[in-house]
């Protein structure tokens, strides 16, 4: 089982729609969670951190469900400019070296917003 | 601020050649890392460094070397290029390795023929 799993999509939605992505992670000891956005042929960029109580940044809402080990990202009122791949990122405790955990990236969910 | 600067942006190598991918950051970040991104595989960690003089292997280190002589620079060396190393390489830095978001460089597209 992959450490971080995402539906690859693509999710094709019309402009103005609400769309949600889920991501599951395998290690219950994970402590930090993030969503990144990656445009075609560009580098990933941090979209938002995900907090236990849930958090919102404009049209974007992130939720964490520790019991079920999944993270979600909700995008309201989708814009054409939201078209990108969204990467779920989780810190995975690294037992091999006994040192601090490292961030592990999901393979991403592709979103295409259309007119 | 320049953030994380990677050079070159594109490179074509012949099998067996060696080269160094450069990465520099101006944010005084302690943590730096190299990832490769392949279709369907996501970002995979090659090597990382938690500070000057300290490096460690990630999940796919074979065929690559790194060093960290200064806080700012973290070059990645391909010792003897193979077609399997054709990929997009990203350098990233962060205040620490797990609790803060990473800033990525713009990437190097490497083709080994």
């Amino acid at each position: 089982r992959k450490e971080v799993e995402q539906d690859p999509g693509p999710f094709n939605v019309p402009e103005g729609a609400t769309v949600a992505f889920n991501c599951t992670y395998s290690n219950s000891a994970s402590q930090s969670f993030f969503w990144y956005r990656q445009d075609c042929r560009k580098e990933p960029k941090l979209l938002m951190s995900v907090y236990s109580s849930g958090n919102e940044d404009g049209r974007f809402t992130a939720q964490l469900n520790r019991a079920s080990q999944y993270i979600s990202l909700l995008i309201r009122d989708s814009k054409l400019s939201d078209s990108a791949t969204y990467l779920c990122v989780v810190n995975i405790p690294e037992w091999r070296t006994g040192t601090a955990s490292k961030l592990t990236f999901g393979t991403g969910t592709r979103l295409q917003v259309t007119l | 601020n320049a953030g994380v600067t990677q050079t070159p942006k594109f490179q074509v190598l012949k099998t067996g050649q060696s080269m160094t991918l450069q990465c520099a950051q101006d944010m005084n970040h302690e943590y730096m890392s190299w990832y490769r991104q392949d279709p369907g595989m996501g970002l995979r960690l090659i090597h990382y460094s938690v500070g000057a003089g300290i490096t460690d292997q990630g999940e796919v280190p074979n065929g690559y070397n790194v060093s960290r002589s200064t806080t700012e620079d973290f070059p990645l060396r391909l010792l003897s290029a193979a077609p399997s190393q054709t990929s997009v390489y990203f350098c990233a830095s962060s205040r620490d390795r797990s609790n803060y978001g990473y800033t990525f460089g713009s990437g190097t597209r490497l083709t080994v023929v």
Side-chain angles (χ1 to χ4, degrees), chain A residues 3-7 20-27 30-36 48-52 54-55 61-74 87-92 104 106 109:
Chain A
E3 292 178 307
V4 179
E5 292 203 69
Q6 294 182 254
D7 181 342
F21 310 133
N22 285 337
C23 162
T24 59
Y25 60 95
S26 61
N27 195 315
S30 299
Q31 295 294 321
S32 303
F33 309 89
F34 306 88
W35 283 102
Y36 279 71
M48 58 197 302
S49 301
V50 185
Y51 302 117
S52 297
N55 48 298
T61 301
Q63 296 277 357
L64 168 63
N65 184 319
R66 287 190 184 274
S68 301
Q69 294 179 209
Y70 79 79
I71 307 150
S72 64
L73 177 67
L74 182 79
L87 306 176
C88 173
V89 184
V90 178
N91 84 327
I92 305 291
T104 299
T109 298

Side-chain angles (χ1 to χ4, degrees), chain B residues 19-21 34 46-47 55 57 61-67 74-79:
Chain B
M19 78 160 294
T20 299
L21 278 61
W34 277 100
I46 304 171
H47 284 286
T55 64
Q57 297 180 350
N62 292 340
Y64 309 95
N65 273 355
V66 292
S67 59
F74 191 45
L76 177 72
R77 281 182 288 279
L78 278 70
L79 309 173

Side-chain angles (χ1 to χ4, degrees), chain A residues 2 31-32 34 36 38 40-46 87 91 94 96-97 99-103 105-107, chain B residues 10 31 35 37 40-43 45 48 56-59 90 97-102 104-107 109:
Chain A
K2 288 184 180 178
Q31 295 294 321
S32 303
F34 306 88
Y36 279 71
Q38 186 172 24
C40 186
R41 301 179 74 83
K42 298 287 189 182
E43 72 273 22
K45 292 185 178 178
L46 179 64
L87 306 176
N91 84 327
E94 193 173 78
R96 177 178 64 89
T97 62
T99 58
S101 53
K102 62 179 177 65
L103 295 190
F105 288 76
T107 54
Chain B
F10 302 93
Y31 181 74
Y35 287 85
Q37 187 173 37
M41 302 287 289
L43 285 154
L45 183 64
Y48 66 93
D56 202 354
Q57 297 180 350
E59 56 185 302
F90 289 105
R97 63 183 301 192
S98 61
N99 295 315
Y100 295 91
Y102 289 5
F104 282 84
S106 57
R109 294 187 174 273

Side-chain angles (χ1 to χ4, degrees), chain B residues 69-100:
Chain B
S69 55
T70 66
T71 299
E72 294 77 21
D73 299 299
F74 191 45
L76 177 72
R77 281 182 288 279
L78 278 70
L79 309 173
S80 177
S84 60
Q85 293 179 303
T86 293
S87 188
V88 181
Y89 292 84
F90 289 105
C91 178
S93 74
S94 176
R95 288 171 61 181
D96 75 30
R97 63 183 301 192
S98 61
N99 295 315
Y100 295 91

